[in-house]
Amino acid sequence: MSFNNDDSRRGFGNDRKRNFGRSPRPNFDENKFNREHPDEEPANRPERRGGIGSQAHLRRDRDNFANRPSRFEERAERHNLNDRPTFDDRRDFNSERRSFNENRAVPEGVVPAVGDADAAPQVAVGGIKEVEELLNKNPLQVHRVLFMHKSGNPKLYELQKLAKRAHVHVQQVDSKILDSYARPNHGVVALMNEKELLNWMDVREEFFKARDTGEKKLIAVATNIEDPRNLGACIRSSLALGVDILLLPAKGMCGITPSVARTSAGALEKLRICRPDNLEGAIGELKMAGYQILGLDADTETNLAGFDFADHVVLAVGGEDVGLPPFIKKQCDAVLRIPMKPEAHSYNASVALSLGLYEYARLRIKA
């Protein structure tokens, strides 16, 4: 058996494969169409008006197809898209966007840091010389200094020692975190308080003398509070309930951020706030001077209601999760428990402080 493999045979087979199951597409002859469907009807042929296949019907279909609106135009008319503003007519949202710092006077060279989403950002200062000047002149306005982790820069090492001598909390962080706060930063960023705090050495004599003169004094202590709104509420309640000064630790707390200032509702500027270099030592001095040291904690049997307060009191409250730190607990003359239902685990720190201050002040503040 032999096979015919010539070129003509192969071409025929390929053509048959390509055209298998298909009918040939006829070519459109425009001239033939115009001859068969002229615009004018012949004089000797009556027009079939309106009938399918009539010359008028063909002309009408042709004209309707040429003049019909596009699908987009139909959609625009149906949904009134043509009434929508163009890009030129739209509002410039960037020009109307509110700047967090538009009402705040920020010194030159100070870059705002990332803060709470619903408040103005915390102010951050970046740069070795800038942070060094702050630590030398205004250390009590610096909340915390962030250093680049494993920078290997001897200048940053000396600056870290300066911050520790000023009793400012330091922290090692990644360079990306520093860049999120301030640029340029040269490996160091200082986070600022909204208000310069007081030095304990400048005010302690006032409270020592008050014990000798019989002048009543109330001192509040807030520790381990990380939520700025909680701290702002503590400041507001302290001012309202007659606190003479609020003591804060040097570390383990949120700073006096814009969110703290906003939550305090103006009390931040009126209440005296002090950050002792050694909070444990400051409380020990007050204890030796005759002050009654009290703490608020759920893990005790002594009830706040009806407690016999002295005229000179230091009332301390702990943070949201950790409570009173041990160095305060061991100095307390009494740890007081606020009554609550067994279903509740604890009070918010600012609520606990408010209840404790109210119990002390309710017979001492005239309505």
Side-chain angles (χ1 to χ4, degrees):
M1 181 182 293
S2 64
F3 295 92
N4 187 359
N5 292 326
D6 59 3
D7 294 337
S8 62
R9 182 64 181 173
R10 285 197 300 269
F12 173 78
N14 292 335
D15 290 341
R16 186 171 60 180
K17 290 178 181 179
R18 284 193 297 267
N19 296 322
F20 179 77
R22 302 179 184 177
S23 59
R25 180 179 297 176
N27 295 326
F28 177 73
D29 190 346
E30 185 177 359
N31 293 329
K32 181 179 178 181
F33 178 83
N34 291 333
R35 287 195 304 270
E36 294 178 353
H37 308 287
D39 291 340
E40 299 294 336
E41 289 287 343
N44 58 352
R45 184 189 302 173
E47 180 180 359
R48 293 187 298 171
R49 298 182 179 277
I52 298 177
S54 65
Q55 301 302 317
H57 178 268
L58 294 173
R59 288 197 301 271
R60 186 166 58 251
D61 286 349
R62 182 184 61 188
D63 294 340
N64 290 342
F65 181 83
N67 298 325
R68 71 173 184 174
S70 66
R71 288 193 299 174
F72 177 79
E73 293 173 347
E74 291 177 351
R75 179 173 174 268
E77 183 178 358
R78 185 165 61 252
H79 296 284
N80 294 325
L81 297 181
N82 294 327
D83 296 335
R84 299 177 67 181
T86 63
F87 284 102
D88 296 334
D89 298 332
R90 291 179 181 176
R91 295 165 55 190
D92 186 1
F93 290 103
N94 290 331
S95 63
E96 297 183 5
R97 186 178 296 169
R98 179 183 175 188
S99 173
F100 281 131
N101 295 318
E102 61 185 2
N103 297 323
R104 299 175 64 207
V106 180
E108 184 178 357
V110 174
V111 181
V114 177
D116 299 321
D118 61 344
Q122 187 176 4
V123 173
V125 178
I128 295 176
K129 292 183 179 180
E130 292 79 2
V131 174
E132 182 181 6
E133 184 176 0
L134 283 171
L135 292 175
N136 286 324
K137 294 183 179 180
N138 306 98
L140 289 170
Q141 194 167 359
V142 181
H143 166 233
R144 181 182 303 177
V145 181
L146 307 178
F147 289 91
M148 182 188 299
H149 182 58
K150 295 182 180 180
S151 66
N153 189 342
K155 292 184 179 179
L156 293 179
Y157 178 71
E158 294 297 326
L159 191 60
Q160 183 171 331
K161 292 196 295 184
L162 175 61
K164 289 183 177 180
R165 287 197 299 269
H167 299 278
V168 176
H169 183 49
V170 300
Q171 187 176 355
Q172 304 288 330
V173 298
D174 188 80
S175 60
K176 293 180 180 180
I177 297 179
L178 294 176
D179 292 340
S180 70
Y181 282 108
R183 289 185 180 182
N185 53 65
H186 307 296
V188 60
V189 170
L191 301 181
M192 307 297 293
N193 290 316
E194 288 294 290
K195 168 183 178 178
E196 185 172 5
L197 306 184
L198 299 175
N199 191 326
W200 173 244
M201 302 302 293
D202 296 336
V203 298
R204 65 174 185 168
E205 291 298 326
E206 170 192 342
F207 294 93
F208 294 163
K209 291 180 180 179
R211 185 69 179 83
D212 299 332
T213 60
E215 181 183 3
K216 297 178 181 179
K217 290 289 184 179
L218 176 60
I219 300 174
V221 179
T223 62
N224 298 327
I225 296 179
E226 299 178 356
D227 186 350
R229 297 169 185 82
N230 217 350
L231 179 58
C234 288
I235 293 173
R236 185 174 183 179
S237 298
S238 296
L239 179 67
L241 293 170
V243 170
D244 295 289
I245 196 168
L246 174 65
L247 303 183
L248 301 178
K251 63 180 181 179
M253 288 275 294
C254 66
I256 308 296
T257 65
S259 184
V260 172
R262 181 177 57 84
T263 309
S264 71
L268 177 64
E269 299 301 323
K270 300 175 183 178
L271 180 69
R272 291 191 296 172
I273 303 177
C274 176
R275 187 184 70 192
D277 295 341
N278 185 348
L279 181 58
E280 181 180 5
I283 294 176
E285 291 178 341
L286 291 169
K287 185 178 179 68
M288 292 181 61
Y291 279 75
Q292 186 183 40
I293 313 299
L294 303 174
L296 296 173
D297 198 287
D299 188 18
T300 181
E301 297 299 327
T302 307
N303 203 316
L304 171 67
F307 183 79
D308 186 17
F309 290 96
D311 291 334
H312 301 83
V313 170
V314 176
L315 184 62
V317 66
E320 298 88 348
D321 299 323
V322 297
L324 280 175
F327 74 86
I328 292 182
K329 245 182 183 179
K330 69 181 181 181
Q331 297 190 79
C332 285
D333 298 306
V335 177
L336 308 178
R337 181 179 182 275
I338 302 174
M340 72 177 75
K341 288 283 188 178
E343 294 83 5
H345 297 288
S346 63
Y347 287 101
N348 180 281
S350 61
V351 173
L353 180 62
S354 300
L355 292 173
L357 293 175
Y358 173 76
E359 188 64 21
Y360 172 86
R362 64 187 177 90
L363 300 177
R364 292 170 171 82
I365 298 179
K366 295 182 181 180

